[in-house]
């Protein structure tokens, strides 16, 4: 990954521009974890970058940067800039391209996110970000109150980085968050959810949730149930969202909404019960059991010993039922299916065609 990245830098610098990897990748590289995407800062403008990378280049309309994909790696290349005056605590009203890397670093959020790497793999650390990594602390670049007032997403990014790296927030950050936290109300629920998901799926999520609670962010994030997930053992982010019960505010796709509905239903059932397992499946019941602090090993065993796992497993079909009862299709077919399904699941009826036929004739014929 580093090789490809340095090649991309060289591609830009060979056209007489400056280019550095900056932000998450260098930070993660020093901490010793792998980054997913790579951020590059350069004095080349998006227009000049398009000339360098032509076909492999996608403008990122939102932010005046370009995205280049190489060998399956995504590079977000952003021109050195100054951000002038912020609107609605999120977006800079005006961006001014500049020629100087050190000035670009000043508009960034946290000191740990300002470390750069040049095309030779040399680290440039103008603001002593490495020291902060060593000290395991998150500090803002410049006054925290101003940083958070300009862009309240930085509040959630601070908590996210503190959580996933198990770093402390500087005292200044903690005070500034307490003063500015109401501004997270101006963020879209989509943005908030992206940050919260990263906190909830971190192995350190308990610290992160405690931090959100200590800072009082649960209220401003409209997640009053946050305290309920503090001691919950589930690693499923959708399980966590089910308990948070915020589908009226936070965005979920159709599939996620269906899962949340199922998990909520399974929460009030005995998750080892054959009918619960059959209806909601292993995943949903395991998540529900984890939320309730139950051992999921027993659930896996109960699930594998189910006689049938779906309607197709029942050793009969509608044609045969109609033939047995000498009747045209109708709603009665569903009632019979529900009945034999239940009998088979609870092992009162064996899942064998002959046995099922006799049962149907005896109970439903005439
Ligand atoms: P990750 O990619 O792991 O989420 P990251 O720090 O790389 O973390 P990105 O969103 O990729 O985050 O941003 C790249 C860099 O841009 C950051 O490291 C930081 O220097 C800067 N940055 C990102 N978002 C902000 C922001 N809201 N305010 C100021 N600087 C930011
Ligand atoms: Mg990044």
């Amino acid at each position: 990954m580093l090789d490809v990245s340095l090649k991309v830098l060289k591609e830009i610098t060979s056209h007489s521009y400056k280019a550095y990897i900056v932000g998450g990748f260098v930070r993660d590289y020093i901490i010793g974890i792998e980054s997913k995407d790579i951020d590059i800062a350069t004095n080349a403008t998006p227009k000049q970058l398009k000339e360098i990378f032509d076909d492999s280049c996608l403008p990122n309309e939102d932010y005046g940067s370009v995205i280049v994909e190489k060998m399956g790696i995504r590079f977000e290349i952003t021109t050195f800039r100054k951000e002038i005056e912020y609107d609605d605590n999120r977006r800079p009203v005006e961006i001014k391209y500049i020629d100087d890397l050190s000035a670009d670093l000043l508009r960034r959020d946290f000191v740990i996110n300002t470390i750069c790497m040049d095309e030779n793999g040399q680290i440039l650390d103008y603001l002593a970000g490495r020291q902060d990594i060593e000290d395991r602390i998150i500090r803002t670049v410049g006054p925290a109150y101003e940083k958070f007032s300009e862009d309240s997403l930085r509040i959630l990014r601070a908590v996210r980085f503190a959580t996933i790296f198990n770093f402390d927030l500087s005292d200044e950050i903690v005070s500034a968050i307490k003063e500015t936290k109401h501004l997270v109300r101006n963020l879209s629920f989509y943005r908030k959810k992206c940050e919260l998901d990263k906190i909830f799926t971190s192995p350190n999520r308990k610290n992160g949730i405690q931090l959100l609670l200590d800072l009082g962010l649960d209220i401003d994030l409209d997640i009053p149930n946050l305290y309920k997930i503090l001691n919950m053992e589930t690693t499923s982010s959708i399980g966590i969202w089910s308990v948070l019960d915020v589908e009226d505010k936070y965005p979920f796709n159709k599939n996620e909404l269906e899962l949340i509905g199922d998990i909520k239903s399974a929460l009030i059932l005995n998750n080892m019960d054959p009918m619960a397992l059959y209806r909601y499946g292993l995943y949903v019941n395991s998540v529900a059991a984890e939320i309730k602090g139950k051992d999921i090993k027993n659930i896996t065993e109960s699930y594998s010993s189910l006689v049938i796992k779906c309607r197709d497993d029942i050793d009969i079909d509608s044609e045969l039922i109609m033939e047995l009862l000498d009747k045209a299709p109708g709603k009665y077919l569903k009632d019979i299916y529900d009945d034999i399904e239940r009998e088979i699941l609870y092992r009162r009826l064996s899942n064998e065609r002959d046995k099922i036929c006799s049962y149907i004739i005896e109970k439903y014929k005439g």
Side-chain angles (χ1 to χ4, degrees), residues 3 292 356:
D3 285 3
K292 291 187 277 188
I356 301 172

Side-chain angles (χ1 to χ4, degrees), residues 136-265:
R136 307 180 72 83
I137 190 151
I138 318 261
R139 294 186 301 128
T140 47
V141 177
Y145 180 85
E146 269 172 41
K147 284 284 162 175
F148 296 147
S149 307
E150 280 171 0
D151 176 0
S152 51
L153 185 70
R154 293 168 182 161
I155 295 175
L156 300 182
R157 285 173 55 91
V159 177
R160 189 238 298 186
F161 293 128
T163 305
I164 60 180
F165 301 132
N166 213 354
F167 282 11
D168 285 329
L169 295 176
S170 68
D171 292 343
E172 193 200 354
I173 286 189
V174 172
S175 314
I177 291 182
K178 287 181 180 158
E179 282 174 75
T180 55
K181 65 189 165 110
H182 59 280
L183 298 176
V184 299
R185 293 194 174 275
N186 299 337
L187 298 171
S188 74
F189 281 98
Y190 173 78
R191 284 265 170 197
K192 293 188 260 209
K193 182 165 175 277
C194 290
E195 289 299 325
L196 288 170
D197 267 329
K198 291 179 187 158
I199 295 172
F200 295 159
T201 50
S202 159
N204 301 325
R205 79 182 153 280
K206 194 168 170 177
N207 297 351
I209 295 163
Q210 187 65 61
L211 191 52
L212 290 169
L213 289 167
D214 292 346
L215 293 166
L217 276 162
D218 50 332
I219 304 306
D220 293 293
L221 290 167
D222 291 301
I223 39 176
N225 284 342
L226 188 68
Y227 73 96
K228 290 190 185 167
I229 64 168
L230 187 57
N231 291 311
M232 231 168 66
E233 284 308 324
T234 185
T235 50
S236 146
S237 127
I238 206 73
I240 289 175
W241 286 108
S242 307
V243 175
L244 294 179
D245 193 22
V246 286
E247 301 90 272
D248 57 335
K249 295 211 164 76
Y250 282 79
F252 296 94
N253 64 34
K254 199 167 149 263
N255 196 9
E256 290 170 324
L257 284 175
E258 211 173 288
L259 265 174
I260 290 176
D262 284 358
I263 292 169
K264 284 182 173 179
S265 305

Side-chain angles (χ1 to χ4, degrees), residues 23-24 27 37 39 107-109 113 151 154 157 160:
R27 177 197 68 217
D37 53 30
D39 306 290
R107 60 131 183 131
R108 294 177 183 267
D109 49 7
N113 289 342
D151 176 0
R154 293 168 182 161
R157 285 173 55 91
R160 189 238 298 186

Side-chain angles (χ1 to χ4, degrees), residues 22-25 27 35 37-39:
V22 61
F25 177 82
R27 177 197 68 217
S35 246
D37 53 30
I38 296 182
D39 306 290

